Amino acid sequence: MSEKRTRQRRPTPARTSPIRDFSTVLHPEPAKPTASAEPQPEQANGQQPRSDFLSDTVAQGARLGYAVIQEQIRQGQLIAQQWTQGKRPGNGFDVSALLQRTMHLSTDLGALLFDVTSAITKNGAGDARRADGASTTSAGVGAQSVANVRMSVEIEARGHTKVMLDLSASAIEGHLHVPALYSLAGDSPPLTRIAFEGLALRVQIPDEQPAGTYSGVVVDRRTNEPRGTLSVQLTR
Amino acid sequence: MPRRKRTKVAIIGGGCAAITAAFELTRPQHAGRYDVTVYQLGWRLGGKGASGRGPAGRIEEHGLHVWMGFYENAFRLVRECYDELNRDPERFPIAHWRDAFEPEPHVGVADRGANGQWVFRTAEFPPAEGLPGDHVPGGRSFTVTEYLLHAVVLLRTLVLDVQTRGVTEATAASSAGDDATNLSRNEIIERIRTGFRYGVLATAAGLTSAVGVLGVVFRSLSTFPQNVVLDLLERIAATAREQLETLVVGDDEIRYKWEIIDLVIAIMVGIVKEGLVYHPKGFDAINDYECLEWLRMNGASEKSTKSAFVRGLYDLAFAYGPDGPRPGLAAGQAIRGSLRMLFTYKGAMFWKMRVGMGDAVFAPFYEVLKRRGVKFEFFHRLENVGIAEDNDAPASAHVDRLDFVVQAKIKGGGEYDPLVDIAGLPSWPSKPDFAQLQNGAKLAREGRDFESDWDSTCATKKTLKVERDFDFVVLGIGIGAIPRTCAEILQRDERWRAMVEHVKTVETQAFQVWLAEPMEKLGWGGPPVTLSGYVHPFNTWADMRQTLPMEGWPVRPGGVAYFCNALADDPSLDRQHADYAKKRSAEVKSNAIRFLNEDVSRLWPGAEANGGFRWGLLVNADAGKVTGVEAFDSQLWKANVNSSDRYVLAAPGSLQYRISPLDATYDNLTIAGDWTDCGFNEGCAEAAVMSGRLAAHALSASPPLEDIVGYDHP
């Protein structure tokens, strides 16, 4: 005799569609993206709000990058245009040098942007500690702790000088090198007399150097991998 | 003690989704609660993945089946299946899943060079950590941020690659030891142009390094105003495009890479602009856009959207018709699929099977399910899903009955034994074993094709009744068969009507040739690649040499090649006509012969003779020597025109009409297939397996949804 069966029904599903809003997966209380970049009120301590500091810094760095890269491209196009019009560049024109300069500049600037932003964003970027950084004054010798290693900084300059050095932990093992520091204003000559000697940083600033902020990438000389950033703020 | 009633589940169809549902519902942890019967048209399982063994034990597929390294669900179940199967490696040539699948890191695309000539590019994707299907403790989560960071790395890698080449060549040009004054003006201009291109493109390294800023930004995206991020990204993209795109003309290698860079930047811009990182719909938010349209909206150039890279991706999804990108790909699913393919694969980008998909996948599942007590009713063609309204719940209904045509009866009334032994491996034959069927000799003489939509063979009819014969139904047939079999549902249910109307499918065409000479001798010096983006009518080619040792040739052929593509509808043909399938088959044969005569020599220069194909290359299983075009008669070609064969498309504006296996409108019915709303809504084995797992969850609350990898995905 066949058993009497009652019609079965499916269990009620808890949901019938996937969760696409993944932010709940990683961030239980995700910070919502700001819809616009409208100014935010200053914090009680008078410091700039974190997001503004970040966006301003990144945007400023990016603008610098665009300007220099655009200039390189413009120069290159100009030369190419001259050639196609039958005009040859003057004596001393070196295609190879142009290319090398273009590549180095663009790479350095890209790396600069990357590392400046990286430096800003890590460790809760934009906090006062980072903005103030390590500083020293003219002809003074300061010291700061980087990844628990003591590093000395020697400045040779006439004006008031503030140095901000940010190194990754891996920098300690590297052969550090800074090719040059460029002005954010874009129209000042770069600072080139900068040298790492072991765990000592030596910065020489010409007397005629215009005031401004000069920034560059610290690289490992052997691999050319970025290891940090160096900024010098010069006031007269 | 009262005996616990088992829940009878009728699974209709034997493709990936249906078999997955059977596998899930009969897991040991259910303790036999579900009494599963699979009802299958014809003599074999597999659906679109069915394969068979033909003359000389050769593997005969519906088309090309390559599994991708991100098919987490599909690989996981296959691995579990092989573990449970526990074949003796001494007895079986394929005992472990790694025997059945081998990693294929090479991906190829056919590109047009500056002069219009074809250039075949192959890229080797490095092995990724782990193996597909690895168990990830705590589950696997996916984030748009993660993809953005991957994209940044890809961009930088691409540009560095170009930069390296640029430096090398520019240096070589400038240090050749000759004085510029000794060169002609044109030579100098060309040198500068070349060097300038590389030099300027090297600025893309800077630009891309600047994009690296975004890598940092992406890591803490929630702290940045969206418009700042967008401004950064769009400025970089605009600068790069304006300055670089026109300069890569004339250098195919740089152009090819630039096009990929351009596309990746467009995807980044689009993701940020559309707010997809936090969008509650994830990538689904842009599914109304056609993917190429969306890329162009976000700055991709016309050239890039027609690039080899894009054509290759579209070909893999059968998204191109012969006249262009129609019906196309829904942008959200296309981006989701591309990101998963590029950035979440494990082991290798592609995995190729060493045998047909039927033997690598469905034979093992069949054997395991049989051991678990699953019953298989072959030769059952579904005719109608009967619906009854629920008296106690207005507007609610359930499946009341299932009407089948029984195509053939088994001698002695037992179960059909579907597998044959080929070189020691349980395999599916390309034709049924008529000897097991009542009136088998007559059916064989009449050439009955039980899988054909146009076949009307009927030994008897059968009706299953709810409560008596089944409790639950898993409808695992192709969506092409829904209008014919689900008229009662369509009549009462607007959502189902919309689904059938909007979820499109396409016929496909394929052919396989066995060659006397190896690919190297024919002039293909590259790896055993899967290459797409080539010409219509067969834009995709796979070198499947790894299958040859598993076939039963007395003298092994030197090579074997599979070709496939979509087969566009022909409005002049009446699909209802009895000769439709034959006409389409003849069309595919004609396409294949033309392709071999006119197009294959670019891939295999050594296959050409007298301006056409060297037909004597083809290996005939009958060992007859035929040197003319008639030799092709011995090869395999397929027009996949049956409703269960049609490839499911992910057309823009269509995906919202899909219905989920979790949908409980019919309280004893769930659906399964890559045509359902399964989280990864694109025609592929992974989608089908996900759908099958969802169907099992709908009936048994298992597996947990969190266990279905990629279901909860932006």
Side-chain angles (χ1 to χ4, degrees):
Chain A
M1 191 177 86
S2 65
E3 59 183 332
K4 171 65 178 172
R5 301 181 68 88
T6 55
R7 195 170 77 75
Q8 295 190 43
R9 289 172 169 79
R10 288 171 43 176
T12 303
R15 57 186 167 104
T16 59
S17 59
I19 298 172
R20 299 295 194 193
D21 181 5
F22 76 100
S23 59
T24 56
V25 175
L26 290 184
H27 309 293
E29 294 178 1
K32 295 294 181 188
T34 309
S36 69
E38 290 176 2
Q40 295 178 7
E42 274 198 350
Q43 293 176 347
N45 59 7
Q47 292 177 349
Q48 196 178 15
R50 181 168 179 260
S51 60
D52 278 2
F53 174 81
L54 287 168
S55 58
D56 288 352
T57 309
V58 171
Q60 189 179 20
R63 276 195 293 274
L64 169 66
Y66 303 144
V68 177
I69 292 168
Q70 290 272 22
E71 176 58 21
Q72 290 298 311
I73 292 171
R74 193 190 64 77
Q75 287 184 18
Q77 284 181 322
L78 188 63
I79 293 166
Q81 193 177 20
Q82 288 175 347
W83 273 99
T84 55
Q85 291 170 354
K87 303 173 186 173
R88 298 187 63 169
N91 291 338
F93 170 69
D94 184 341
V95 175
S96 175
L98 169 68
L99 299 180
Q100 292 289 342
R101 192 168 67 244
T102 304
M103 285 183 276
H104 285 163
L105 264 176
S106 58
T107 305
D108 285 350
L109 283 165
L112 168 67
L113 290 174
F114 182 88
D115 287 290
V116 164
T117 313
S118 180
I120 292 166
T121 50
K122 71 185 179 187
N123 299 326
D127 63 11
R129 182 167 50 83
R130 170 69 57 223
D132 292 342
S135 66
T136 184
T137 53
S138 60
V141 177
Q144 72 170 131
S145 176
V146 179
N148 299 323
V149 174
R150 203 160 186 79
M151 174 168 278
S152 65
V153 180
E154 289 186 24
I155 310 290
E156 189 177 317
R158 300 187 74 176
H160 179 84
T161 306
K162 184 166 149 182
V163 173
M164 289 163 281
L165 175 64
D166 182 65
L167 295 177
S168 64
S170 59
I172 301 309
E173 301 168 358
H175 293 64
L176 302 182
H177 172 64
V178 179
L181 301 183
Y182 294 90
S183 166
L184 292 176
D187 52 359
S188 301
L191 291 174
T192 56
R193 295 177 189 172
I194 305 155
F196 280 96
E197 297 169 2
L199 291 178
L201 168 64
R202 188 185 305 279
V203 180
Q204 290 179 281
I205 299 174
D207 293 349
E208 66 280 9
Q209 191 74 21
T213 300
Y214 297 82
S215 299
V217 185
V218 180
V219 301
D220 187 322
R221 186 188 296 277
R222 297 167 304 180
T223 63
N224 208 30
E225 289 288 323
R227 292 288 179 260
T229 58
L230 173 64
S231 289
V232 173
Q233 191 175 330
L234 183 62
T235 53
R236 296 296 185 188
Chain B
M1 195 170 78
R3 190 161 52 94
R4 184 184 182 187
K5 288 180 184 173
R6 299 183 74 199
T7 300
K8 293 185 176 182
V9 181
I11 297 180
I12 306 166
C16 276
I19 294 305
T20 295
F23 190 78
E24 291 287 356
L25 290 170
T26 55
R27 283 186 184 275
Q29 50 264 45
H30 285 303
R33 177 176 176 180
Y34 298 99
D35 178 9
V36 174
T37 304
V38 174
Y39 296 89
Q40 169 65 56
L41 175 81
W43 70 97
R44 59 181 171 180
L45 302 179
K48 289 185 281 292
S51 65
R53 296 302 191 111
R58 70 184 193 184
I59 295 161
E60 299 182 344
E61 295 271 18
H62 273 75
L64 173 63
H65 300 292
V66 179
W67 283 23
M68 296 193 188
F70 74 86
Y71 285 7
E72 293 289 339
N73 296 282
F75 273 109
R76 179 169 164 186
L77 260 68
V78 163
R79 291 170 64 171
E80 290 176 347
C81 175
Y82 272 92
D83 285 347
E84 189 170 335
L85 192 59
N86 196 26
R87 279 178 176 161
D88 179 359
E90 298 294 322
R91 284 186 54 213
F92 294 93
I94 291 180
H96 188 265
W97 78 274
R98 285 300 304 272
D99 300 331
F101 289 85
E102 63 176 40
E104 174 53 78
H106 300 104
V107 181
V109 292
D111 192 11
R112 287 279 194 185
N115 300 323
Q117 82 282 11
W118 283 101
V119 180
F120 302 108
R121 306 184 188 283
T122 57
E124 182 175 353
F125 283 76
E129 189 178 350
L131 292 170
D134 279 350
H135 176 67
V136 179
R140 175 85 196 268
S141 62
F142 301 87
T143 67
V144 180
T145 305
E146 178 187 338
Y147 289 130
L148 287 171
L149 293 172
H150 278 301
V152 168
V153 173
L154 173 64
L155 274 178
R156 300 185 86 173
T157 304
L158 281 166
V159 177
L160 280 172
D161 183 48
V162 171
Q163 185 187 35
T164 303
R165 178 181 163 177
V167 169
T168 304
E169 299 199 9
T171 304
S174 61
S175 61
D178 51 6
D179 189 327
T181 56
N182 294 331
L183 300 174
S184 71
R185 179 176 173 278
N186 285 343
E187 285 174 317
I188 294 171
I189 289 173
E190 183 54 32
R191 174 178 293 186
I192 288 182
R193 278 181 174 161
T194 304
F196 184 60
R197 274 201 303 274
Y198 290 131
V200 171
L201 194 57
T203 64
L207 289 169
T208 307
S209 294
V211 173
V213 171
L214 287 162
V216 178
V217 173
F218 291 153
R219 286 192 189 97
S220 51
L221 197 58
S222 64
T223 63
F224 288 86
Q226 186 188 41
N227 58 343
V228 170
V229 180
L230 197 57
D231 182 53
L232 275 169
L233 191 46
E234 289 194 321
R235 276 164 171 254
I236 290 168
T239 304
R241 289 196 180 105
E242 286 170 13
Q243 306 297 341
L244 304 180
E245 191 181 22
T246 56
L247 298 170
V248 299
V249 174
D251 189 312
D252 293 338
E253 186 64 29
I254 292 182
R255 176 186 52 77
Y256 172 69
K257 286 172 180 162
W258 163 247
E259 287 167 348
I260 299 175
I261 291 169
D262 189 42
L263 293 167
V264 174
I265 291 175
I267 291 171
M268 286 175 158
V269 170
I271 285 174
V272 176
K273 189 186 286 182
E274 303 275 357
L276 299 182
V277 175
Y278 294 102
H279 202 292
K281 291 183 177 178
F283 290 111
D284 282 355
I286 55 171
N287 270 339
D288 282 346
Y289 295 110
E290 205 289 319
C291 186
L292 302 186
E293 173 195 4
W294 186 80
L295 288 169
R296 282 191 288 267
M297 279 167 47
N298 290 293
S301 71
E302 191 72 22
K303 286 178 189 168
S304 298
T305 57
K306 291 179 178 173
S307 65
F309 185 72
V310 168
R311 284 188 291 108
L313 289 176
Y314 267 61
D315 288 345
L316 288 174
F318 291 105
Y320 268 134
D323 302 323
R326 291 183 303 176
L329 275 173
Q333 178 55 40
I335 299 298
R336 180 185 293 130
S338 300
L339 294 174
R340 286 213 61 191
M341 181 181 81
L342 289 170
F343 300 135
T344 71
Y345 70 84
K346 285 183 185 167
M349 168 80 89
F350 286 162
W351 290 77
K352 280 181 173 175
M353 282 168 253
R354 289 181 59 215
V355 284
M357 186 161 162
D359 304 341
V361 175
F362 291 100
F365 271 112
Y366 171 76
E367 293 188 298
V368 165
L369 291 174
K370 283 285 288 181
R371 286 185 200 170
R372 290 181 177 183
V374 172
K375 295 181 281 296
F376 287 87
E377 295 280 10
F378 289 97
F379 303 101
H380 278 61
R381 180 197 294 278
L382 179 68
E383 291 295 301
N384 182 53
V385 176
I387 296 296
E389 304 294 333
D390 287 339
N391 296 328
D392 52 347
S396 179
H398 64 275
V399 178
D400 178 59
R401 68 190 186 285
L402 298 166
D403 299 322
F404 290 92
V405 159
V406 180
Q407 299 170 299
K409 290 184 177 179
I410 313 304
K411 285 178 181 173
E415 270 197 27
Y416 179 74
D417 182 5
L419 300 177
V420 295
D421 184 299
I422 303 287
L425 188 70
S427 307
W428 302 92
S430 282
K431 291 180 179 175
D433 180 6
F434 287 99
Q436 296 185 52
L437 307 181
Q438 294 182 17
N439 300 316
K442 179 172 179 290
L443 293 170
R445 270 199 314 276
E446 293 171 352
R448 297 286 179 169
D449 179 1
F450 298 109
E451 291 177 339
S452 168
D453 279 1
W454 295 266
D455 180 81
S456 57
T457 308
C458 177
T460 186
K461 294 193 174 183
K462 179 191 284 184
T463 294
L464 305 182
K465 290 288 295 178
V466 70
E467 298 180 50
R468 184 190 71 189
D469 302 311
F470 67 88
D471 297 298
F472 292 156
V473 177
V474 177
L475 191 61
I477 60 178
I479 190 171
I482 296 291
R484 183 179 63 79
T485 59
C486 299
E488 293 182 33
I489 296 179
L490 294 174
Q491 189 176 13
R492 68 181 301 280
D493 195 324
E494 187 178 348
R495 291 177 65 219
W496 277 63
R497 286 199 299 274
M499 177 175 69
V500 168
E501 179 185 350
H502 292 283
V503 179
K504 301 295 185 187
T505 61
V506 67
E507 295 175 353
T508 61
Q509 56 184 326
F511 77 95
Q512 297 171 215
V513 285
W514 287 262
L515 303 157
E517 297 172 11
M519 289 299 161
E520 293 82 359
K521 197 169 179 185
L522 296 180
W524 176 259
V529 73
T530 300
L531 182 140
S532 54
Y534 196 37
V535 296
H536 185 75
F538 293 102
N539 53 29
T540 301
W541 160 51
D543 180 342
M544 298 292 279
R545 66 181 77 172
Q546 81 281 358
T547 62
L548 289 173
M550 301 304 300
E551 299 183 335
W553 298 91
V555 178
R556 188 178 298 169
V560 61
Y562 293 21
F563 296 87
C564 67
N565 193 6
L567 180 62
D569 289 336
D570 183 347
S572 69
L573 294 179
D574 176 9
R575 197 177 188 284
Q576 305 306 318
H577 197 279
D579 285 341
Y580 179 82
K582 286 181 183 171
K583 286 182 177 175
R584 295 296 257 175
S585 178
E587 182 182 341
V588 172
K589 181 183 179 185
S590 171
N591 288 342
I593 289 172
R594 190 173 69 249
F595 177 87
L596 289 172
N597 265 326
E598 298 177 4
D599 299 308
V600 88
S601 62
R602 297 188 199 97
L603 294 168
W604 314 332
E608 183 179 0
N610 304 318
F613 186 70
R614 185 152 57 96
W615 296 105
L617 268 179
L618 299 180
V619 177
N620 185 342
D622 298 330
K625 188 69 177 172
V626 184
T627 56
V629 68
E630 299 78 20
F632 187 77
D633 292 344
S634 65
Q635 307 301 295
L636 180 75
W637 66 94
K638 289 265 191 180
N640 296 310
V641 296
N642 294 317
S643 53
S644 63
D645 297 337
R646 296 175 65 97
Y647 182 83
V648 180
L649 297 166
S654 74
L655 300 184
Q656 70 269 31
Y657 295 102
R658 293 182 176 218
I659 295 174
S660 170
L662 301 176
D663 182 89
T665 302
Y666 303 92
D667 63 23
N668 64 348
L669 169 70
T670 182
I671 54 179
D674 59 2
W675 47 275
T676 65
D677 182 15
C678 63
F680 192 82
N681 294 332
E682 200 165 335
C684 64
E686 176 70 352
V689 171
M690 289 172 72
S691 180
R693 302 191 81 194
L694 287 169
H697 178 92
L699 302 187
S700 68
S702 179
L705 295 182
E706 295 73 22
D707 197 44
I708 301 174
V709 181
Y711 182 60
D712 290 332
H713 183 292

